Amino acid sequence: MIDYQGQNYQDVIGQQGLVVVQYFATWCGPCKMLKPVLESLSTELNDVKFYRVDIDLFRNQAIEAGIRSVPTVVLYKDGEEVDRQSGYQPKERVQSWMNQFR
């Protein structure tokens, strides 16, 4: 799982294949609960790229993505948003959701 550091955002979300982006805040409890779920999946799903975007540090990216609450996980496939979910979800549910788009 890669922490977004301000590189060209289109280079991140515009990659081929499935890209998972967690929009989070350091003060958000459910974000902290979701982090190990996504980290675990990032080691298991080698064909999927995982990123985290801190909405307080990278406000413009959060606004551009239409983030209204955290945590929000957005799935991008071949550069296009295909789905999003907000709030904490257990690992099995997150993996099942992602597998629909792989």
Side-chain angles (χ1 to χ4, degrees):
M1 191 142 164
I2 300 167
D3 283 324
Y4 176 74
Q5 298 296 320
Q7 64 269 42
N8 183 319
Y9 202 60
Q10 288 304 316
D11 290 347
V12 172
I13 63 174
Q15 298 179 64
Q16 291 299 305
L18 190 61
V19 177
V20 176
V21 180
Q22 178 194 10
Y23 295 89
F24 76 101
T26 56
W27 45 263
C28 165
C31 298
K32 293 174 185 173
M33 293 170 52
L34 187 58
K35 182 180 179 185
V37 167
L38 295 175
E39 285 177 336
S40 176
L41 288 171
S42 74
T43 63
E44 297 171 19
L45 306 176
N46 296 327
D47 60 325
V48 180
K49 297 160 198 82
F50 287 80
Y51 290 87
R52 297 179 76 228
V53 176
D54 185 328
I55 64 162
D56 292 324
L57 295 177
F58 300 103
R59 192 170 183 80
N60 289 340
Q61 286 76 10
I63 291 169
E64 180 182 321
I67 303 306
R68 290 178 170 35
S69 65
V70 287
T72 295
V73 178
V74 180
L75 303 183
Y76 297 92
K77 186 159 189 177
D78 301 330
E80 299 292 325
E81 180 179 332
V82 291
D83 205 5
R84 65 173 57 201
Q85 287 187 349
S86 294
Y88 172 80
Q89 298 287 331
K91 180 180 175 184
E92 296 76 22
R93 192 172 294 164
V94 174
Q95 185 169 5
S96 174
W97 172 59
M98 290 178 185
N99 284 340
Q100 296 174 51
F101 301 97
R102 287 176 62 206

